[in-house]
Each structure stands twice: as C-alpha cells, then as structure tokens.
C-alpha cells in the first residue's frame, strides 16, 4: 500500500485531499505522530497545490481536534431549536431515527417524499457527499434535492454556451498577457489561482479586476472596475459593442466555431459604452478601455467566478461573458479563454450511476425541493402542487440555518415542533441546534474519499490519517447503518468507504496507479481544448443564440435602484455578502484563531454613505429591510463603493450581535437560469445604534 510518503516507527505522512468547497481542491500530506495528526501541508509535487495551503486548511488539525467537536450521538433534551442535548448510544439514536423514517414511508406509495435530505458541500467527497447517502435516499423514495445554492446559474449558462462546465487549465493563466479577474476574489477564495496570476503579472501581463468591492485582489491588479452588483451582462454587452465598432474580432473563429453570432451582434450594437456605463455605475471610458485591452492583448484569459452570478440575471451575464473569448479567438491559445468551472471535464470519468444508484428509485419520481427555498418550503402545508408537508429533514454537509437565504423563515421552519430533524455534523452549528438527533461525523482526516475538482483537472484520493475521534462515524457508515435498519438488502449497501473511494472513477480516464501512488491523477484534457472549436455542444460550436433561451441580454436585479425604484426609496443601499477570507461559507467560524482574524461580524460602508447616516467607524449599526435586521459593526472603508455595502462572510447566527447574520436580509427569489439564489441582489438601509441583545 502506498498510503505513506515516509514511514518511521512513530511518524508517518499520509496522502489526502482537501474536502472543502473551493476551486483549488488541494493535495494534502498529513503528518501523523503517535496516532495524532500534527501537521497538514500541501503536496509539493501537485502542480496546482505546489506545496502551499490556505490559512484555513493549514489549521485543519485545529478544527478536527477542536474541544467542541461532537463526538457522541446527541438527543434533544430541551425545547426545539434550543441547542440542548444529552448523549445517547449509537443504537438508540439509529433505532429511533430508522423507526421515524420507516413510519413516514410506510403510509403509502409516495409517502416517503415527506422526508427531505438536505446537503451541500461541507465535504465535496464523492463518498461522504452524495455516495452512500444518495443510494439510501433513492431506495427510500425521499424527496430529491435541487442542489442549487452555489453555482447552478453559471453552470447552466456555461452548459448552454459551451456544452458543459469546461474551461481553461489553471496552470496556463501564468502565460496570459491579460487576465480579467471577474466576480472573483482569488486571494481570499482560490489562492492557488492567484499564484498563477502573479506569475503572469511578473512576466508583464495586465491584471484587471471586475468587482463591486475593492477586494485585496483588486488592490493588487493594475485596474479595478467597481461596477454595481448584477450589471456584468451590461458590461459584457458594452465591451462587445466596442469589439464590433473597432473590428477587434476574430472573424475566422466566429465563422467556424460560433453559432448565432448575427443575432447577438444585433443585440450588442444596442449597447454603446454610454448605455452600459449608466447601468454599471462606471464611466464610459472604463467600458471602452476594457474593450480596447481585451480586443488588442493576447492571449487574454478570463477567471470568472460565481460571485457575479448570485443575482437575478446571473445566467444571462455568464452567457455574455463566456462569448467574449469566442469573439476575439482567445481560445486559439492555451493561455487564452475562460475558466469558471472545470468540473465538466470529469463527466464520464466519475462513476456517478454506481456511486449514487438512481436506479434504486425503481420508476418512482419523487418531487424535487429547491434547497434555496427551504425557508418557504419547510413552512408549507400539504397541497396538490407542493405534495406532502415536509415532516423529516436529514441534514449532512450543510448548515442551512446560516447559509440559506431569508434565514428568519429557515429558522422558523427548523423550529417547527412537528418536524423531525437529524443533523450529521462535526459541530453544534446553527442548524444542529435545531436537531432532534445530532450524529457525530468524521472529518477528512478520519475517513476515505475520492475527489474531483472545479478549478483544475486532477482527480484525488483521500486516505484516512487517523482513526475516527470519539464515537464519530463517516457519513457513509451512518447511512449504511440506517439502510440495514430499514431492511435495505441490495449489495451496494454493504460497500465499504474504501471500496467506494477506490471505485469512484473509470479506470481508463483516471489512472488508478497514479491515484494509489501519488494521491492524484490528471485527466486527459487538451492544453488548448477549443483552439479548433470542438465545444461539447450538439453543433460543436459555442452557442450565442440558444434554442429556447434566445440571445442573452442584461437582466436587471430583482432589487436595485434602477429596477425597483420604490423599494430603493426605502432601502437605497445594495448589499453583497461575499466570502470572508478566514471562513469557508459558515465553516471554520468556530475555529478560534480564524475567528480572531475576522474579528467580528461587520459591514463595510463607504465613508460618504456613512456620513449621510451619521455612522462612525466601529459603531454598531442596524442593517435592515422588510425581511428583518442584522446588527453588526460598521467599517468605514473605500472597499465599499458608494451605494453598495459589503456584509462579509457567513457568520454563525449565534456569534452575531443579535443572533442573526447577513442572510436575515437576503431573499429567496431565483436567478434567470439554474433556479439559483440571488444573495447579492439585495437592497438594505443602515442606521446607527441598535442595542445588541
Ligand atoms: N476563504 C474562502 N474561500 C472560499 C469560500 C469562502 O467562503 N471563503 N467559498 C468557496 C465557495 S463555496 C465558492 S462557490 C468559491 C467561489 O466563490 P465566490 O463567491 O465566487 O467567491 P469569490 O472568489 O470571493 O468571488 C466573489 C466576488 O464577487 C464579487 N461580486 C459580488 N457581486 C458581484 C457582481 O454582481 N459582479 C461582479 N463582477 N462581482 C461581484 C464579490 O465582491 C467577491 O469579491 O470560493 C470558495 N472559496
Ligand atoms: N449571504 C450569503 N450566503 C451564502 C453565500 C454567500 O456568499 N453569501 N455563499 C453560498 C455558497 S457559494 C455556498 S456553496 C453555500 C454553502 O453552504 P454549505 O455547503 O452549507 O457550507 P458550510 O456553511 O461550509 O457548511 C458545511 C457544513 O458541513 C459540515 N461538514 C463538513 N464535512 C462534513 C462531513 O464529512 N460530514 C458531515 N456530516 N458534515 C460535514 C461542516 O462542519 C459545516 O457545518 O452557502 C451559500 N450562502
Ligand atoms: Mo459555493
């Protein structure tokens, strides 16, 4: 077995993979001394990890050995939502959970739909994510979950344009001459991309950041275009207008490899820079300058990220930006093109049907619940349209009470006395506080897994470094035990975690020997995958005018000064809530060293907006709209542009000054494509004061 890099009687190094929801998916080396994981490092040989880790994951041991880890099954001992529990044995907990699920499912042919699994990307592992869990819920006939909370607007837009979530190789950004960092803050949220961008910069490339917030990344680029949230589609159209006017187009590439350009060209001609500038809240010269740079500097690469698609028009905006590299022929070069996600390259390499076994539905078609609207859906009664009221929720790899929009409704739903809630967790999160049973889950140091990535093209294997702490069990082990109690006899319910991890990939696409020996294996993807077209669409061309969708356009926010003037009269500030550097969504908020680095929940507000409201730096402010209020500290800062406030990070509600976080203010309306959330499409007002509860 090649699990170890080096071995001595009491020190060994185990090859692992970072489980977190991040484009970088790092290859890890875990040093274990006398049975304890003492150091987590990046694999120096892995081409994109290159031996470096982010601050958060270099503290992964601190998180795993955290004194507040849940290490035994817990049963609720106080009022619902109160977070009071008593330890119980595994058998007692599993018997009670199985009995409750069985009773619901036994009521009739489709009755199991009243059970909802709720999960996202606490781990991105194929085994501890939707592996054994998916098999279990498919067999049970539970409601299906539309897993939309992050990337589905952009994902569907890429699929409509390129035929899948495919793009440039991360490594080749180092050779680009112009890098647009668009809706992305890589110094915070994908630091390994930033390494390649810096290499390009040192070699003379120009870096332009397109982001409403002046992020730490924006500070280090040559130019920052601080557009209003949700206006990227207008900016892309303005740029296209200039590419056409000045004939900075690659006609040959367009002719051969783009479908529907004439119709998009007509649309773009309606967007002179002056029009785009008004919508974007920037100058026409900024639009012209961006087009001039993009039309005349090659190879040009766009690092698009999901930050720009969390608004009503997110899908259309991604379709528009994704057309840009086709118009200038940037795809001809390996250092040109665009990267939003690389996960589509793994299509066919991952053995999804074997891992998840959708065939266990056996012809049943349970309803699908959108995870974004969990706030409304938990509070719905049975109806012919909705189906049965949700009676049981099993949460794993997610913290919906903190991360889902409009959290007052989410918390109210989870506080329902008649709802049966099971949460598989490492910690007593805001969601776990609402459970009837909390089941202790293992961390990545304690279980097997297999990983794909969405920011590079390497598959990874995670080997356990230490045995499970306390009584923790892996998600897969927990669902295996529940399956046994429910009498599920299919052989797949006996597969071990290790067997699932080792069997996760097609051997002809992901080299099993490389996975075994070095912990990772590269997919075969051409260096310049679309140099000669060959997009994975039906026509093999990039699609500008898609059947059923038409030509993309700028779609205004649900909530903005231009699109909702009456609402804006009461709530004139646009709020975005991008990631905090030392947290990962709501993970790591309880790691003392990382929380200390983020200090406290805060709102960045431009000094002019603060002065107009009598708000002093460091003052407690009330941020509010019709959905609720959020108390935090004001930080007067030019990181916020006038008219836009930045409420960073996803804090746990219980660490908030008044028991809420930014999602108290966000709403459940969806994007134009992909049924996704619109976290950054949100109007608020801010006032001084508000006494912390
Ligand atoms: N440290 C840290 N790293 C993370 C995460 C985290 O929470 N913390 N989250 C992880 C997850 S889940 C994901 S999905 C990935 C990527 O997650 P993303 O949310 O794409 O993260 P960022 O790269 O920070 O990009 C968001 C940037 O978009 C900007 N933005 C907001 N609205 C708009 C807009 O309308 N237009 C434009 N152009 N920009 C806008 C924000 O100000 C922010 O700087 O990162 C992952 N990495
Ligand atoms: N306002 C606002 N809200 C947002 C965002 C934003 O930018 N602004 N970002 C959104 C985005 S991009 C995303 S992806 C979502 C993320 O939402 P989630 O996927 O819910 O992410 P986390 O908040 O990190 O919660 C993951 C939980 O899984 C647990 N976990 C980790 N590993 C395991 C395991 O192996 N087993 C079990 N049982 N549990 C495990 C962790 O302890 C953690 O509590 O949040 C979204 N919410
Ligand atoms: Mo995400």
């Amino acid at each position: 077995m090649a699990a170890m890099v080096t071995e001595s009687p009491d020190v060994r190094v185990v090859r692992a993979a970072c489980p977190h929801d991040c484009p970088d998916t790092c290859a890890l080396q875990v040093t274990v001394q006398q049975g304890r994981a003492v150091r987590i490092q990046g694999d120096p040989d892995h081409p994109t990890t290159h031996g470096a880790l982010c601050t958060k994951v270099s503290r992964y041991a601190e998180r795993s050995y955290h004194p507040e880890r849940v290490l035994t099954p817990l049963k609720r001992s106080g009022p619902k939502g109160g977070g009071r529990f008593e330890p119980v044995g595994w058998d007692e907990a599993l018997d009670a959970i199985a009995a409750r699920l069985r009773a619901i499912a036994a009521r009739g042919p489709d009755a199991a739909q009243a059970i909802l699994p709720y999960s996202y990307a606490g781990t991105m592992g194929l085994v501890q994510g939707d592996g054994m869990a998916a098999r279990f819920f498919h067999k049970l006939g539970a409601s299906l979950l539309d897993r939309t909370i992050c990337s589905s607007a952009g994902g569907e837009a890429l699929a409509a344009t390129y035929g899948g979530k495919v793009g440039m190789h991360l490594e080749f950004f180092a050779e680009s001459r112009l890098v647009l960092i668009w809706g992305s803050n890589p110094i915070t949220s994908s630091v390994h991309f930033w390494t390649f961008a810096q290499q390009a910069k040192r070699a003379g490339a120009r870096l332009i950041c397109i982001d409403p917030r002046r992020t730490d990344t924006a500070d280090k680029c040559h130019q920052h275009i601080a557009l209003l949230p949700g206006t990227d589609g207008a900016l892309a159209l303005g740029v296209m207008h200039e590419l056409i006017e000045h004939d900075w187009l690659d006609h040959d590439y367009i002719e051969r490899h783009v479908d529907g350009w004439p119709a998009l060209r007509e649309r773009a001609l309606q967007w002179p820079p002056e029009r785009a500038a008004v919508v974007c809240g920037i100058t026409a010269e900024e639009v012209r300058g961006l087009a001039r740079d993009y039309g005349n500097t090659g190879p040009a690469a766009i690092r698009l990220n999901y930050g720009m698609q969390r608004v009503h028009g997110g899908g259309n905006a991604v379709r528009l930006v994704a057309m840009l590299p086709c118009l200038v022929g940037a795809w001809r070069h390996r250092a040109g093109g665009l990267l939003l996600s690389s996960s589509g390259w793994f299509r066919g390499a991952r053995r999804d049907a074997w891992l998840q076994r959708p065939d266990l539905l056996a012809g049943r078609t349970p309803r699908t619940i959108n995870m974004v609207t969990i706030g409304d859906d938990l509070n719905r009664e049975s109806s012919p349209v909705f189906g049965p009221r949700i009676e049981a929720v099993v949460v794993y790899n997610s913290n919906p009470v903190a991360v889902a929009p409009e959290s007052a409704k989410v918390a109210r739903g989870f506080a329902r006395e008649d709802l049966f809630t099971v949460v598989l967790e490492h910690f007593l999160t805001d969601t776990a506080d609402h459970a009837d049973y909390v089941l202790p889950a293992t961390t990545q140091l304690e279980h097997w897994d297999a990983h794909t990535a969405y920011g590079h093209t390497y598959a990874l294997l995670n080997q356990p470094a230490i045995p499970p702490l306390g009584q923790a069990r892996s998600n897969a082990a927990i669902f295996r035990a529940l399956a046994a109690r429910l009498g599920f006899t299919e052989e797949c319910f006996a597969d071990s975690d290790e067997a699932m991890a080792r069997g996760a990939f097609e051997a002809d696409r992901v080299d099993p020997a490389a996975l075994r020996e070095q912990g990772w294996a590269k997919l075969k993807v051409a260096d310049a995958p679309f140099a000669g077209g060959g997009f994975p669409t039906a026509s093999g061309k990039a699609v500008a005018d898609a059947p059923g969708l038409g030509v993309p356009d700028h779609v205004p926010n649900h909530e903005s000064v231009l699109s909702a003037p009456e609402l804006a009269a009461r709530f004139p500030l646009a709020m975005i809530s991008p990631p905090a550097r030392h947290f990962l969504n709501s993970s790591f908020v309880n790691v003392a060293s990382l929380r200390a680095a983020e200090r406290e929940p805060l709102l960045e507000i431009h000094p002019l907006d603060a002065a107009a409201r009598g708000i002093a730096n460091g003052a407690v402010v009330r941020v509010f709209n019709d959905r609720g209020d959020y108390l935090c500290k004001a930080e007067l800062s030019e990181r916020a542009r006038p008219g836009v406030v930045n409420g960073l990070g996803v804090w746990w509600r219980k660490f908030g000054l008044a028991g809420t976080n930014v999602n108290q203010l966000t709403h459940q309306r969806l994007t134009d494509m992909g049924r996704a959330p619109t976290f950054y499409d949100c109007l608020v007002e801010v006032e001084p004061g508000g006494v912390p509860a």
Side-chain angles (χ1 to χ4, degrees):
M1 226 183 90
M4 292 33 147
V5 179
T6 57
E7 205 159 356
S8 75
D10 55 36
V11 181
R12 49 194 193 101
V13 178
V14 180
R15 295 189 185 281
C18 177
H20 285 296
D21 186 352
C22 167
D24 296 3
T25 312
C26 289
L28 307 182
Q29 296 188 349
V30 183
T31 306
V32 182
Q33 204 166 6
Q34 290 168 332
R36 192 176 167 92
V38 292
R39 197 164 53 239
I40 320 270
Q41 288 165 296
D43 181 344
D45 298 326
H46 186 270
T48 63
T49 305
H50 49 69
L53 290 182
C54 68
T55 333
K56 306 175 295 300
V57 174
S58 48
R59 305 278 163 77
Y60 198 76
E62 186 180 344
R63 186 179 183 279
S64 294
Y65 292 110
H66 196 294
E68 288 160 14
R69 261 290 289 279
V70 176
L71 292 175
T72 62
L74 299 174
K75 180 183 176 183
R76 174 160 70 93
S77 63
K80 190 89 175 188
R84 291 231 313 274
F85 299 97
E86 61 188 26
V88 290
W90 270 109
D91 283 338
E92 182 186 337
L94 291 170
D95 287 346
I97 295 164
R100 187 69 178 254
L101 300 183
R102 190 188 302 112
I104 295 172
R107 277 189 223 132
D110 297 323
Q113 292 184 98
I115 301 165
L116 176 70
Y118 194 100
S119 70
Y120 200 63
T123 168
M124 304 223 34
L126 302 179
V127 179
Q128 311 304 345
D130 275 316
M132 192 59 82
R135 294 176 179 182
F136 176 79
F137 290 110
H138 284 146
K139 174 72 188 174
L140 188 62
S143 284
L144 301 172
L145 186 74
D146 205 2
R147 304 176 86 246
T148 49
I149 204 155
C150 174
S151 61
S152 55
E156 287 199 3
L158 271 196
T161 311
Y162 298 159
K165 289 167 124 180
V166 289
M168 283 177 64
H169 291 269
L170 182 60
E171 296 91 318
F172 300 142
F173 278 83
E175 300 165 13
S176 309
R177 302 296 300 160
L178 174 70
V179 182
L180 307 188
I181 301 179
W182 197 323
S184 172
N185 179 13
I187 294 183
T188 279
S189 64
S190 55
V191 73
H192 296 82
F193 164 77
W194 181 245
T195 307
F196 295 108
Q198 271 180 305
Q199 283 174 25
K201 190 180 176 192
R202 279 197 292 272
R206 181 170 166 78
L207 269 51
I208 304 178
C209 181
I210 303 172
D211 191 315
R213 177 169 182 248
R214 207 184 81 201
T215 59
D216 37 5
T217 304
D219 283 339
K220 295 193 165 55
C221 290
H222 296 99
Q223 189 189 354
H224 174 211
I225 301 180
L227 78 183
L228 287 167
T231 63
D232 302 271
L235 180 59
L237 283 162
V239 169
M240 274 180 209
H241 181 279
E242 292 302 280
L243 297 179
I244 298 165
E245 285 285 294
H246 297 273
D247 198 22
W248 293 322
L249 297 170
D250 184 333
H251 293 283
D252 176 61
Y253 194 91
I254 295 172
E255 182 67 29
R256 291 188 207 206
H257 306 307
V258 178
D259 246 352
W261 169 238
L264 179 57
R265 183 175 179 281
E266 285 310 304
R267 165 124 327 137
L269 286 173
Q270 295 158 21
W271 282 88
E274 286 71 18
R275 180 178 175 200
V278 169
V279 171
C280 299
I282 58 177
T283 65
E285 184 42 39
E286 284 174 292
V287 183
R288 283 200 189 90
L290 180 61
R292 198 182 313 121
D293 285 340
Y294 192 70
N296 295 288
T297 325
I302 302 178
R303 185 37 164 133
L304 194 63
N305 215 331
Y306 290 114
M308 52 76 75
Q309 47 98 69
R310 308 193 201 294
V311 292
H312 184 198
N316 270 271
V318 169
R319 286 182 65 203
L320 287 163
V321 176
M323 283 316 296
L324 294 173
C326 305
L327 303 183
V328 300
W331 286 116
R332 289 185 189 277
H333 196 287
R334 70 179 191 174
L338 174 144
L339 176 63
L340 171 58
S341 171
S342 60
S343 66
W345 293 122
F346 291 89
R347 204 194 280 172
R350 240 182 3 230
R351 296 177 64 210
D352 288 333
W354 176 78
L355 285 162
Q356 304 184 356
R357 296 294 303 271
D359 58 297
L360 294 171
L361 282 169
R364 294 166 298 176
T365 51
R367 66 160 170 211
T368 299
I369 298 282
N370 187 338
M371 66 188 300
V372 174
T373 54
I374 185 73
D376 280 341
D377 291 339
L378 280 180
N379 294 297
R380 272 188 226 286
E381 299 295 335
S382 301
S383 78
V385 179
F386 181 62
R389 181 164 166 84
I390 297 171
E391 289 183 57
V393 188
V394 182
V395 181
Y396 54 102
N397 303 337
S398 186
N399 184 11
V401 173
V403 304
E406 208 172 356
S407 34
K409 289 187 179 168
V410 184
R412 196 193 324 140
F414 274 104
R416 266 174 47 199
E417 279 297 334
D418 64 329
L419 183 73
F420 180 69
T421 302
V422 180
V423 178
L424 285 61
E425 252 301 346
H426 300 148
F427 296 106
L428 288 180
T429 60
D430 292 329
T431 306
D433 280 348
H434 289 77
D436 293 283
Y437 285 93
V438 182
L439 302 178
T442 45
T443 70
Q444 191 80 341
L445 300 182
E446 302 150 61
H447 57 223
W448 282 93
D449 221 325
H451 288 260
T452 59
Y454 63 96
H456 62 65
T457 46
Y458 300 84
L460 299 95
L461 185 70
N462 181 72
Q463 317 214 17
I466 55 171
L469 297 187
Q471 295 183 40
R473 294 187 186 178
S474 71
N475 290 346
I478 295 170
F479 287 110
R480 209 160 34 229
L482 284 172
R485 278 171 171 73
L486 285 164
F488 298 168
T489 52
E490 286 79 0
E491 275 178 26
C492 69
F493 291 109
D495 287 345
S496 70
D497 292 22
E498 179 177 352
M500 289 181 76
R502 292 195 186 280
F505 300 111
E506 297 293 351
D508 57 339
R509 297 284 308 279
V510 174
D511 178 7
L515 268 188
R516 202 166 49 236
E517 277 144 36
Q518 63 182 4
W520 43 271
K522 189 167 176 31
L523 285 184
K524 288 183 201 73
V525 177
D527 282 359
F530 309 127
F535 292 92
T537 53
S539 62
K541 296 183 177 189
V543 178
D545 187 0
L549 295 171
V551 179
D553 201 353
H554 166 63
V555 174
N557 277 4
H558 293 293
E559 299 191 352
S560 73
V561 175
L562 286 180
S563 61
E566 285 167 23
L567 192 71
R570 293 164 58 220
F571 307 115
L573 297 169
M575 185 189 79
I576 58 173
S577 45
R581 180 163 181 183
H582 300 91
F583 302 154
L584 199 127
N585 300 314
S586 80
S587 296
F588 295 99
V589 176
N590 61 328
V591 175
S593 60
L594 297 171
R595 190 164 74 249
E598 289 298 329
R599 294 171 295 149
E600 56 203 340
L602 56 82
L603 184 85
E604 295 171 346
I605 182 166
H606 190 273
L608 290 174
D609 287 327
R613 291 165 175 79
I615 293 167
N617 192 30
V620 173
V621 287
R622 189 171 83 95
V623 193
F624 62 99
N625 57 25
D626 287 334
R627 293 175 287 270
D629 50 19
Y630 169 49
L631 251 51
C632 61
K633 292 267 178 79
E635 183 158 292
L636 272 54
S637 167
E638 297 196 351
R639 293 210 178 279
R641 56 160 284 162
V644 180
V645 290
N646 312 321
L648 295 191
V650 190
W651 283 79
W652 287 10
R653 285 159 64 88
K654 56 183 161 188
F655 289 123
L657 294 182
T660 60
N661 69 15
V662 278
N663 280 321
Q664 195 79 0
L665 305 166
T666 54
H667 56 77
Q668 299 175 65
R669 274 169 285 176
L670 303 178
T671 47
D672 53 350
M673 298 176 70
R675 308 162 305 284
T678 52
F679 290 114
Y680 304 167
D681 177 340
C682 175
L683 287 176
V684 299
E685 180 54 296
V686 186
E687 64 179 27
V691 184

